[in-house]
Amino acid sequence: MPQVGGHSLGGRVWRFPVVEGAPARAGAPPGWAAALVAVAEDLRCCCRGGPVRWDGVCWELAIDPDGVRLAWDPAPPGITAPGGDPGGFGEIGSGRFVLGRGLAPRLPAVEATIWVANTVQAALLRQLRVQWPCRDHAAVWVPRIRGGHPCWVDPYGGRTVTTIGSLTAAADTGSH
């Protein structure tokens, strides 16, 4: 049984830093790995409510008999589980924040990206009061599938801002 961060987990586990992108991991479910790379790229910009300290935070992607489990290990500073228990889900380990479990291992990258973006967005808002992604005083953009691609969309006008994973490049060119 693999050991990750001193915790014993059933199944296979992949860990990689959030802010450094996720190079290909042998055996990792490709849809989920692609989703994490895209969302991690966008976490670098366009938030309101204060910076999130990603240094040392890793994605933890695991496959066990119940499906895919996605967590931050350790969680970004300030994130706690409901009820104030740091890391929550005690059977998985202190310091972790589980984003989801029991998810389909073969989920296509487009759908996995929408799920990860939506889940990370909700965790940042609920736990840290950080609105992401957005620009200035605009509404927080929402993840949607447009033309077969995962995109950030302005919820009020329905305008596609950019594809998920391209937010940093769009911010640099001023195209959103």
Side-chain angles (χ1 to χ4, degrees):
M1 197 173 293
Q3 294 286 318
V4 177
H7 308 285
S8 179
L9 302 171
R12 296 180 298 169
V13 179
W14 298 268
R15 287 176 45 93
F16 35 91
V18 169
V19 293
E20 292 177 20
R25 301 290 180 177
W32 289 101
L36 297 179
V37 169
V39 171
E41 185 63 32
D42 287 355
L43 285 170
R44 300 168 191 260
C45 72
C46 301
C47 69
R48 183 172 55 227
V52 178
R53 295 192 347 243
W54 294 108
D55 297 337
V57 177
C58 289
W59 294 111
E60 183 174 280
L61 179 63
I63 298 179
D64 58 31
D66 296 325
V68 170
R69 180 179 56 246
L70 181 62
W72 286 321
D73 184 18
I79 290 200
T80 61
D85 176 24
F89 301 103
E91 78 277 8
I92 292 176
S94 179
R96 281 197 181 99
F97 184 80
V98 176
L99 295 161
R101 63 173 83 210
L103 307 163
R106 298 190 197 289
L107 198 62
V110 170
E111 294 171 28
T113 302
I114 294 296
W115 186 89
V116 171
N118 191 51
T119 303
V120 168
Q121 185 180 62
L124 291 175
L125 185 59
R126 279 190 226 125
Q127 294 286 327
L128 298 177
R129 306 290 186 251
V130 169
Q131 298 173 356
W132 170 85
C134 60
R135 177 60 72 196
D136 302 323
H137 297 289
V140 174
W141 303 317
V142 294
R144 298 287 185 262
I145 297 173
R146 293 281 172 93
H149 302 284
C151 295
W152 292 115
V153 174
D154 181 328
Y156 294 109
R159 177 182 66 85
T160 299
V161 177
T162 190
T163 56
I164 296 175
S166 302
L167 197 54
T168 302
D172 290 344
T173 64
S175 64
H176 62 83

